[in-house]
């Protein structure tokens, strides 16, 4: 017999979201690690808001972080506005955020209104560190062997906004549009970061990845990866300069030691084969596992390093960091940032890096069984 669609929907239904999510869904493991990290950050959240009974209660910061940090990154949602629209009817999102089916979705402006408070307390960095500590407690991290690399993050600004620093402000448009959105002919014009600056995002820098590549307004993401399972132990966003990828390494090593790690080797690509970098890394007590760049010059890495068996192993493992960059750009949405300003882009970088680590933890740990 042919089935017929019922026009009258049920007026009363009992739905348990917990029972509707598959037991082996990877988001269950991610939720378990994320909730444990947020419990650890609860005292910090208490400092961020007024005491109980003073003012109107806010949306739980745990919910905002799980939405902005994980769901938007994991499911490649194009914007916070689009996410809030999907949250109205998406059962999986509501289960992950511990929302019932009748609770209304929050407005997209909630993210921007609370971002300043989260930035001031460096919540994204604290969340990232809390997840790294969980991985360390599970003995998934290498304590001595690490890899470093950098990648370009396109800024949320067009080349039309890259104007001379001494140029007067553009006149107002008669149609009321943005004065920066105007026709600009910058061909055959010599432009550099020393003389020009973006009016849209002053922290962005004009940078070209290599010869024959297009110059774009960009930031630079600096990743420090442990070599056992390819988990990130740090991810910082800096301004894009020709030496930024090497200049940040001493800071990454020092902060790794503050977290309790004991770096002994550091893998990198040929761009790190400079005398200043190699000598500085050895002064920190770390052996540079860097490929020898002998193009027109003498390599700063000698046979004392390259003949050690661990050198070849480090060179193989360090390539995993490219997989991290591929994920955070294609899935995490960090190929082109939605934020302006170095502080905000760094905030977003830590959120996406935390999402990547949680995805890796979900693959490296067994799925918990339901009672």
């Amino acid at each position: 017999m042919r089935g017929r669609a019922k026009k009258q929907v049920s007026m009363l239904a009992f739905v348990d979201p917990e029972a509707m999510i598959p037991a082996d869904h990877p988001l269950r493991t991610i939720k378990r690690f994320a909730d444990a990290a947020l419990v650890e950050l609860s005292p910090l959240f208490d400092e961020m808001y007024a005491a109980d009974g003073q003012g109107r209660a806010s949306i739980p910061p745990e919910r905002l972080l799980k939405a902005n940090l994980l769901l938007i990154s994991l499911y490649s949602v194009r914007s916070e506005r689009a996410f809030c629209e999907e949250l109205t009817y998406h059962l999986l999102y509501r289960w992950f955020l511990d929302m019932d089916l009748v609770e209304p979705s929050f407005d997209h402006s909630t993210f921007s209104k609370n971002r300043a408070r989260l930035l001031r307390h460096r919540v994204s960095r604290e969340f990232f560190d809390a997840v790294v500590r969980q991985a360390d407690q599970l003995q998934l991290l290498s304590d001595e062997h690490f890899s470093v690399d950098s990648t370009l993050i396109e800024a949320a600004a067009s080349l039309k906004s890259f104007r001379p620093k001494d140029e007067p402000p553009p006149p107002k448009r008669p149609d009321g549009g943005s004065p920066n959105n105007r026709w600009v002919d910058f061909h055959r014009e010599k432009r550099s970061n020393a003389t020009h600056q973006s009016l849209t995002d002053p922290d962005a820098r004009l940078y070209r990845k290599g010869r024959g590549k297009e110059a774009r307004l960009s930031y630079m993401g600096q990743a420090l990866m442990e070599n056992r399972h390819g988990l990130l132990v740090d991810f910082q966003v800096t301004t894009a300069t020709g030496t930024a990828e090497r200049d940040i390494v001493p800071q990454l090593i020092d902060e790794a030691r503050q977290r309790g790690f004991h770096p002994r080797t550091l893998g990198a690509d040929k761009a790190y084969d400079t005398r200043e970098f190699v000598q500085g890394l050895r002064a920190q007590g770390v052996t540079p596992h860097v490929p020898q760049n002998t193009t027109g010059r003498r390599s700063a890495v000698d046979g004392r390093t390259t003949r050690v068996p661990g050198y070849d192993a480090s060179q193989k493992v360090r390539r995993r960091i490219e997989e991290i960059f591929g994920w955070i750009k294609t899935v995490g949405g960090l190929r082109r940032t939605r934020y302006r300003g170095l502080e905000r882009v760094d905030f977003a970088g830590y959120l996406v890096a935390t999402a990547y680590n949680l995805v890796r933890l979900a693959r490296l740990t067994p799925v918990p069984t339901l009672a």
Side-chain angles (χ1 to χ4, degrees), residues 359-371:
V359 170
R360 288 288 295 150
L361 287 175
R363 295 176 180 176
L364 295 171
T365 55
V367 178
T369 58
L370 298 179

Side-chain angles (χ1 to χ4, degrees), residues 156-222:
S158 70
L159 290 175
K160 292 192 298 183
S161 70
F162 197 63
R163 306 299 297 159
K165 295 181 179 180
D166 56 355
E167 183 181 59
K172 294 184 178 180
R173 290 175 47 177
D175 59 357
S178 173
N180 294 330
N181 188 18
R182 63 195 191 281
W183 183 86
V184 179
D185 183 10
F186 48 79
H187 295 288
R188 296 180 298 275
E189 176 186 349
K190 186 176 181 180
R191 302 190 300 172
S192 70
N193 292 315
T195 59
H196 290 61
Q197 189 178 46
S198 172
L199 300 178
T200 304
D201 188 354
D203 290 338
R205 295 292 182 268
L206 194 66
Y207 192 89
R208 183 174 61 183
K209 186 66 174 177
R211 293 183 179 180
K213 301 292 185 178
E214 178 185 359
R216 297 184 178 183
L217 291 171
S218 306
Y219 290 94
M220 188 166 285
Q222 315 283 358

